[in-house]
Each structure stands twice: as C-alpha cells, then as structure tokens.
Amino acid sequence: MGDKILYFGYGTNSRLEMMEGITGRKKLKGQPAFLKGYKLCIQKLNQMPNIVVPASPPRRLRDLLREQWGNNFESYVILPGGKNDIVRGTLWELTKNERDLVKNWEQIDYLYKEIKVKVTVENGQIFDALTESLGNNQKFDREIDGLNYQPFLRKIKDYIKISQEARLKYFERKNRARKK
C-alpha cells in the first residue's frame, strides 16, 4: 500500500459521496467491507462531550454540533461487541492528508478515538485499518443492526454541505497556524 492509509468508514463514511465531500477528492478507491466483533450504535447530542474543540473560532463541541445540525443531532458510533456483532462499511485507501481531513470531520481526540481494526472484504481477505470508536466514558442511545442500516440519518445534502464547510475551515486553521 505504500503511502496509503486504509480506513474503515461506516455510517455516512461508508458512502463515496460523503468521503468526496470530506476529502475534496473525486473517485476515491474503496470496497465493501465488514468489521467483526463491533456493534453499531447511535449517539445523541446530549451524550457528546461538552469540551472545547479547535473550530474557527474554538467552540464547545455540543454548541458547534447544535448550530450545524440542530438539537436532534444523532451520529453513528461503534464500540467493541461480541463475536457475532458485525458492522457493514467500506474500506477506503486514503492519503495522510485525506485521513487528517476525516479525523477533523469526526473530531478524533475530542469526540471519538482512533482505533486499529481488522476488516474483511467480500473475497474474505483481511486488512488492518483505522477507524473511530466511541470515546472513553461516553454513553450512547441505542444499538442498531450493523448489517442493515441506512448510512444517512438525515438528508445527504446536509452532510455534504457541512462536510465541505468543515474541510474549508480546516484548511483555514492550518494556513493561520503556518503563518504564525
């Protein structure tokens, strides 16, 4: 794989149009994959940590999510489960910069934590990949069927618009940091 990073996207991140919105690159390479031993859950806004994140300007995470999505915000999240638990998603090949954009979108280190997992593609081949999981001491609302779920919890155009805005703000913060 060389300089490529393998990333397991679930929920919205399992869809090409979403990953194109997050990374800004068309025609990303990905293939259907399954993550065994994890369960798929939904987390609500009031279960998110209420910590300050490096938005533009820095904001409390819940306030930022509420402004972007409203009070009914929900997000998919995975956490370790039993041997029969499986989550359907996509195994993506990303560059380091694209992975950084996904980490920014997912608020890694603030909302979720990055984990290393083994995912299985349709031909049975197993790959090591990165993904995100529920953060420490966080709660979730409910567990759902990880094989049969709708990737988007609301209108896809909302996700695309907000992901593109997040990407632009990420680059603005990076440029400001370089100029200092």
Side-chain angles (χ1 to χ4, degrees):
M1 288 283 144
D3 61 347
K4 297 291 181 186
I5 295 170
L6 294 179
Y7 168 71
F8 178 72
Y10 58 90
T12 60
N13 292 2
S14 68
R15 299 294 300 268
L16 179 61
E17 55 267 53
M18 186 67 204
M19 292 298 289
E20 287 175 346
I22 295 170
T23 65
R25 181 163 65 101
K26 300 287 183 196
K27 299 182 182 178
L28 289 166
K29 186 176 178 185
Q31 60 181 311
F34 300 91
L35 177 60
K36 298 176 182 177
Y38 283 80
K39 55 186 176 178
L40 184 64
C41 301
I42 292 182
Q43 191 177 34
K44 292 187 170 198
L45 181 65
N46 65 351
Q47 296 165 323
M48 306 283 172
N50 200 23
I51 58 176
V52 175
V53 296
S56 298
R59 313 284 306 280
R60 291 211 167 267
L61 179 61
R62 283 190 203 161
D63 294 339
L64 180 65
L65 293 171
R66 184 178 292 110
E67 286 173 18
Q68 293 173 326
W69 301 99
N71 286 322
N72 295 324
F73 174 78
E74 293 183 323
S75 180
Y76 288 119
V77 65
I78 59 168
L79 63 150
K83 65 179 181 173
N84 295 325
D85 290 314
I86 300 175
V87 177
R88 174 180 45 86
T90 302
L91 182 63
W92 299 105
E93 289 183 19
L94 303 177
T95 65
K96 181 190 178 319
N97 288 337
E98 290 164 346
R99 177 62 184 138
D100 288 345
L101 285 163
V102 173
K103 288 168 77 170
N104 175 68
W105 172 252
E106 292 297 338
Q107 295 293 323
I108 301 296
D109 298 329
Y110 303 100
L111 178 54
Y112 301 125
K113 64 182 177 181
E114 182 175 70
I115 60 171
K116 293 179 181 179
V117 294
K118 293 194 178 296
V119 296
T120 306
V121 295
E122 289 182 328
N123 70 4
Q125 197 170 1
I126 298 172
F127 291 92
D128 292 322
L130 298 173
T131 195
E132 53 277 337
S133 176
L134 190 69
N136 295 331
N137 303 317
Q138 289 185 41
K139 301 201 181 315
F140 63 91
D141 183 62
R142 63 194 181 276
E143 184 178 340
I144 63 167
D145 182 347
L147 285 175
N148 302 299
Y149 66 96
Q150 294 297 318
F152 295 96
L153 292 168
R154 48 192 328 145
K155 293 178 184 172
I156 185 173
K157 66 180 178 76
D158 295 339
Y159 286 97
I160 302 301
K161 178 181 178 280
I162 294 171
S163 71
Q164 291 169 340
E165 291 169 358
R167 179 170 28 92
L168 293 175
K169 289 178 182 177
Y170 172 82
F171 286 127
E172 288 171 7
R173 284 193 314 274
K174 295 287 265 185
N175 286 335
R176 277 197 305 272
R178 265 183 255 171
K179 290 178 182 178
K180 289 183 178 181

